[in-house]
Amino acid sequence: MKQILLIVLCSLPCLIMAQTNCSLFKDEAHKSACELYWKAIEYNQGSRESQELFVQSLKACPTYGPSLHEMSVPYLKRGDFFNWKQLMDRAVAADPIWLSDRGWCLFKFLRDYKNSFADLKRLYDINKGQPGYSGDGDYNLRIIMALNQRAMGNLKASLAYFNECITDHEKKEWVGLFDYLHLGVTRMMLKDYKGAIADLNRETKKYEKLADTYYYLGLCYKKLGQDQKAYTNFTQAKELFTKTGYYRNDPYCEVPDQVYLSDIEDELKKFKN
């Protein structure tokens, strides 16, 4: 599910709505920027027609958040991170709500964990502990904050954000699809193998057929000296990976805690030696 938030600036209070009625704006700058934005998104994303209309929109209102954001996306997808960030920095300067997208993309595409965390922590503070969700909808941004901390080597701080987010969501009977997986891997990194196994088993109840989970279960059982259980889980991971295709991947980049077939096969080979 994709949610579009439209933020209209230019010295007026921030207006956020699912779809902006351009006639609501009292001045021509806002109205024109809004109308040009809607014309731009009628064309294919990144097309010349679309980008030129965004340029016109920003000439009418240089801090019109939706145009700054949407114009930046094709640069991001092409790997032109310089131009993407130039536009996103302007969007964030206009309104901090765009910290969510910038922080998420800094994490996912640039592996800039320090600045990603800074963006998301700022939004976390502004929104009193509720920073929102990632651009793909897969993660509460507190999970991304936890993954940022983990990537910077701050495992205990990472665990604290994981626990805060997951405990909050367990009360609401909703936990992210991969949250227990990442929590389990983090406990494994802290050498809490029994705790990691408990979290990974919770992940199998959330997503029963994910190859990645069984691979990490295999690693944990191996560390505990339970070779038969390790072998069983590595075998299950390979079967899911090769026969059903249930494993984590992304068309743009490697995802957190992603497992490759070669990782699984390397572990299985050790049982034959």
Side-chain angles (χ1 to χ4, degrees), residues 210-228:
L210 184 64
D212 310 59
T213 308
Y214 294 96
Y215 170 78
Y216 287 111
L217 277 167
L219 291 181
C220 290
Y221 281 119
K222 181 179 176 182
K223 288 291 185 179
L224 292 173
Q226 299 182 39
D227 288 349
Q228 184 56 51

Side-chain angles (χ1 to χ4, degrees), residues 3 95 148 172 177 216:
Q3 182 179 21
D95 195 294
N148 276 317
K172 302 170 184 175
L177 190 57
Y216 287 111

Side-chain angles (χ1 to χ4, degrees), residues 147-195:
L147 290 169
N148 276 317
Q149 286 292 330
R150 192 180 81 181
M152 292 188 288
N154 305 321
L155 296 182
K156 290 184 178 179
S158 173
L159 198 62
Y161 281 112
F162 275 124
N163 285 332
E164 176 192 321
C165 184
I166 291 173
T167 299
D168 182 23
H169 284 174
E170 284 176 337
K171 293 175 183 176
K172 302 170 184 175
E173 299 185 348
W174 186 90
V175 177
L177 190 57
F178 307 113
D179 293 1
Y180 290 131
L181 170 67
H182 300 315
L183 177 59
V185 173
T186 305
R187 289 197 199 279
M188 185 182 75
M189 294 170 73
L190 286 163
K191 300 183 179 180
D192 177 9
Y193 303 116
K194 291 182 179 179

Side-chain angles (χ1 to χ4, degrees), residues 12-244:
L12 284 182
C14 179
L15 301 176
I16 305 176
M17 53 192 74
Q19 184 170 343
T20 302
N21 182 347
C22 300
S23 65
L24 293 175
F25 299 120
K26 303 298 183 182
D27 64 283
E28 287 303 316
H30 286 85
K31 184 177 179 181
S32 178
C34 176
E35 290 173 346
L36 288 163
Y37 168 86
W38 286 107
K39 287 181 181 178
I41 64 173
E42 291 178 0
Y43 293 94
N44 291 332
Q45 189 179 67
S47 66
R48 178 177 179 178
E49 294 86 353
S50 178
Q51 295 296 86
E52 286 180 348
L53 284 165
F54 285 136
V55 169
Q56 293 178 38
S57 173
L58 292 171
K59 285 181 178 178
C61 179
T63 57
Y64 190 74
S67 291
L68 287 164
H69 173 263
E70 290 299 322
M71 189 176 179
S72 77
V73 174
Y75 293 112
L76 180 71
K77 290 183 176 180
R78 290 197 294 264
D80 185 350
F81 300 123
F82 177 82
N83 280 306
W84 165 77
K85 193 169 183 297
Q86 293 292 306
L87 289 162
M88 282 304 300
D89 287 352
R90 287 172 60 189
V92 170
D95 195 294
I97 195 169
W98 299 106
L99 287 165
S100 61
D101 274 14
R102 190 174 71 178
W104 159 241
C105 292
L106 286 171
F107 170 82
K108 179 174 181 176
F109 295 98
L110 279 77
R111 301 293 190 263
D112 185 350
Y113 305 115
K114 181 179 178 181
N115 286 310
S116 171
F117 180 80
D119 275 356
L120 300 181
K121 180 60 165 63
R122 182 180 164 196
L123 192 60
Y124 175 95
D125 291 339
I126 291 170
N127 292 340
K128 300 179 180 179
Q130 300 294 331
Y133 286 83
S134 60
D136 59 7
D138 283 347
Y139 293 105
N140 183 286
L141 289 171
R142 285 176 289 179
I143 298 296
I144 302 303
M145 292 171 70
L147 290 169
N148 276 317
Q149 286 292 330
R150 192 180 81 181
M152 292 188 288
N154 305 321
L155 296 182
K156 290 184 178 179
S158 173
L159 198 62
Y161 281 112
F162 275 124
N163 285 332
E164 176 192 321
C165 184
I166 291 173
T167 299
D168 182 23
H169 284 174
E170 284 176 337
K171 293 175 183 176
K172 302 170 184 175
E173 299 185 348
W174 186 90
V175 177
L177 190 57
F178 307 113
D179 293 1
Y180 290 131
L181 170 67
H182 300 315
L183 177 59
V185 173
T186 305
R187 289 197 199 279
M188 185 182 75
M189 294 170 73
L190 286 163
K191 300 183 179 180
D192 177 9
Y193 303 116
K194 291 182 179 179
I197 288 169
D199 288 326
L200 293 167
N201 280 330
R202 289 196 288 176
E203 179 66 32
T204 64
K205 292 179 175 62
K206 186 77 178 175
Y207 189 169
E208 184 181 1
K209 296 181 179 180
L210 184 64
D212 310 59
T213 308
Y214 294 96
Y215 170 78
Y216 287 111
L217 277 167
L219 291 181
C220 290
Y221 281 119
K222 181 179 176 182
K223 288 291 185 179
L224 292 173
Q226 299 182 39
D227 288 349
Q228 184 56 51
K229 287 186 177 180
Y231 179 79
T232 298
N233 278 282
F234 288 137
T235 302
Q236 176 75 345
K238 183 175 180 179
E239 182 175 343
L240 288 168
F241 200 106
T242 57
K243 294 183 179 180
T244 63

